[in-house]
Structure formats: structure tokens, C-alpha cells
Amino acid sequence: MTGIVNSTGARSGIVGTTVGTPAGGGIENATWMRLETTLTSDANDAIPNWQIQHGSTGNIGTLVTEASGHFTFPQTGMWLIIYNPSYYSPALKYYIESRILAAEDYSGSSGTFTYQARSFSSTYHPGSGDDFYASSSVTYIFDVEDVATHKAALGMAGAAATADMSIIGTADTLEGSTSHVLFMRIGDT
């Protein structure tokens, strides 16, 4: 290829064309959290007790924080949310629903959270013991225009059966993360 290459490696395909600096690179904010304790409920739209996964997990930049099940973003931008919960129930559930919710009017300690993405999972019985299990994955891109008013939450619900279900958490960082969520800033708002 003919052209001009500048000192940073950017190349133009036409002789005589001015070459700029290549675009900056990479993810600048990423937070991986795990559910710290198992929570039993039949429906909950603000699952609390998420803890930042420490160690060699790849957390980058200023991290997302959680209080009372509401997540606060450290800066504006487009945020990819990947929610991967695991569940068990002592009785059959026809399905378990995992939810990502968002509010754009958060003030004080509340806001109008609406469903943005949902995933439905069937429960299965492993053949021994009494519990039924399920897992799912939900993904959403949230445009955080204002860090004070734009918050996210994670939820769950189950259908049928008489017993509540539990979303599985662990306080032991060596066990990994049974239920976890990844927040990653992927671009400007």
C-alpha cells in the first residue's frame, strides 16, 4: 500500500493526505461483581449484597458501586451489563425470570425502575437430592446520561410451585462467583 505513515503508525492510503493520530484504545471501565450471599424470595427487583470480585479478575478504572440493590455508574456513557445468575428451588418452578432494570429519574434512594431486558430459564433436577436448578444470562446496553439519576438494578421472579427460589451467592472468593454481573463502559453517550 502506498501512502504516508505518521509517527504513531497511522497510515493514509493517498500520498499527500494528512494523517491523524489513531483512535485511543480499549475499555476504560469494567467492574465484575459477585452476589455475596444467597437470597431466597419469589420475586425481587433490587437484589442486594453484590461485592466487587477482587484478585486477577480484570476490573479496570473507576468501578461501579452497589447499595441496596441499586448500581451507581462512575461516569456517563454506554454501559454493557451482563447478568449471569444461578438459582435453586426446593420445588419445581415452571420458569425463572432474570431481569435487568434501569431508572433515569433516581433521586435520594428511589426511582422508577423499568424492565429493560429479561431472560426466562427452565428449572432442571439433577437426579439426586431435592432441589431444582436454573441459570441464565441477560444482556443490556444502558445509556447513562447522568450518573446521579441513571441507576440499574437486577431482579428475579419465578412461576408456579409453592416454595420460594434462591439466587445463589457466595462469600468465599476462592469459590469464584456463582451469580455474577459485569458492567463495562463501551463508549460515549
Side-chain angles (χ1 to χ4, degrees), residues 120-135:
F120 296 89
S121 304
S122 299
T123 57
Y124 69 93
H125 192 275
S128 63
D130 296 327
D131 291 331
F132 291 80
Y133 295 88
S135 62

Side-chain angles (χ1 to χ4, degrees), residues 7 20 52-54 69 71 75 77-78 90 104 132 145 153-154 165:
S7 63
I52 293 170
Q53 184 71 20
H54 296 286
F71 294 90
Q75 71 183 88
M78 303 299 286
E104 297 179 354
F132 291 80
E145 296 175 347
L154 305 173
M165 63 186 182

Side-chain angles (χ1 to χ4, degrees), residues 93-173:
K93 294 281 187 184
Y94 295 119
Y95 69 83
I96 294 177
E97 178 184 355
S98 303
R99 307 167 174 164
I100 296 175
L101 301 92
E104 297 179 354
D105 64 347
Y106 196 87
S107 178
S109 62
S110 65
T112 306
F113 284 87
T114 58
Y115 301 143
Q116 302 300 318
R118 302 186 295 180
S119 174
F120 296 89
S121 304
S122 299
T123 57
Y124 69 93
H125 192 275
S128 63
D130 296 327
D131 291 331
F132 291 80
Y133 295 88
S135 62
S136 67
S137 183
V138 187
T139 304
Y140 175 63
I141 296 176
F142 185 23
D143 184 2
V144 177
E145 296 175 347
D146 183 330
V147 297
T149 61
H150 287 58
K151 309 289 182 185
L154 305 173
M156 66 182 199
T162 57
D164 285 341
M165 63 186 182
S166 298
I167 181 170
I168 304 169
T170 179
D172 186 348
T173 58

